[in-house]
Amino acid sequence: ADALDEIEDETLRAQFISDLAGMQHLVREGLDLARIETTVEAVTPVDLDALLSAICEDAAEAGQPVIFTQGCNAVVPTRPQALRRCLTNLIDNAVLHGGEAAVSAVRDGGALRLIVRDHGPGIKGPDRTRIFERFYRADTSRTRETGGTGLGLSIVASVVGQHGGVVTLEETPGGGATFVVTLPGGESAEAA
């Protein structure tokens, strides 16, 4: 910080501060990805509706336009902190690029689908197949500060893979992006 104070040009100093913040965010995201891939969190039965509701309430309290629209009434064995991070990343992505997020969970045969939907510009062309690659950012016009590190969706893919699931990108009817996390089905919350 002392070295930054010595830069007299305010514009240049602001740029250095912005770059430093971006690098710190990148390092944090990289460390988070490394922890997720190397730390063995205990698998615990989790009520998905309660988890999704709590995540959405936390986001709404932080000022994000996020709503939980539908639950699936299921308890599933999961790594709760990793799954929370995965879903938080999807919600943050939806709010950043789509302005809002609607979150739901549904049963689909023997699987559970966790859905995070926005009505932003959507994701087109080659970005659709590369969006989960590390350091890939669909909107290259954004800076790392405003557009992210390119690791958030990689973390999502890693966590979902650990849970034996898949994450896919669909188009939102009427425009936007819909991320769907499909997990092996759990038992009903009543049975648990």
Side-chain angles (χ1 to χ4, degrees):
D2 292 340
L4 289 173
D5 291 337
E6 292 179 14
I7 301 172
E8 294 182 6
D9 184 297
E10 289 184 18
T11 303
L12 185 59
R13 184 169 55 247
Q15 183 60 52
F16 271 112
I17 291 170
S18 174
D19 290 347
L20 181 60
M23 290 188 328
Q24 289 172 333
H25 185 52
L26 179 61
V27 168
R28 281 194 301 271
E29 290 272 280
L31 289 172
D32 285 347
L33 181 58
R35 281 190 206 100
I36 283 167
E37 293 186 338
T38 59
T39 302
V40 181
E41 181 186 357
V43 174
T44 307
V46 170
D47 182 328
L48 282 181
D49 293 354
L51 178 65
L52 289 171
S53 179
I55 292 170
C56 291
E57 285 175 16
D58 289 348
E61 286 177 9
Q64 292 182 310
V66 177
I67 56 169
F68 178 47
T69 60
Q70 177 183 346
C72 62
N73 194 37
V75 171
V76 77
T78 185
R79 296 175 172 90
Q81 293 308 313
L83 187 59
R84 175 180 277 274
R85 176 61 192 270
C86 164
L87 295 167
T88 298
N89 281 11
L90 288 175
I91 289 169
D92 288 347
N93 184 73
V95 170
L96 176 64
H97 299 291
E100 43 78 31
V103 180
S104 59
V106 297
R107 287 188 178 276
D108 185 3
L112 300 168
R113 289 167 44 98
L114 313 182
I115 302 160
V116 179
R117 175 170 290 155
D118 70 61
H119 290 285
I123 301 169
K124 309 274 189 275
D127 293 330
R128 294 182 64 80
T129 58
R130 300 191 61 195
I131 198 70
F132 298 104
E133 292 178 14
R134 294 179 186 191
F135 302 110
Y136 187 77
R137 294 179 299 141
D139 187 351
T140 55
S141 67
R142 293 179 183 270
T143 66
R144 288 212 181 270
E145 183 181 354
T146 59
T149 62
L151 285 175
L153 293 178
S154 298
I155 290 171
V156 169
S158 181
V159 170
V160 173
Q162 286 179 354
H163 285 83
V166 294
V167 57
T168 55
L169 169 63
E170 301 173 2
E171 288 188 34
T172 301
T178 298
F179 286 90
V180 181
V181 173
T182 304
L183 300 174
E187 55 185 288
S188 74
E190 285 85 1

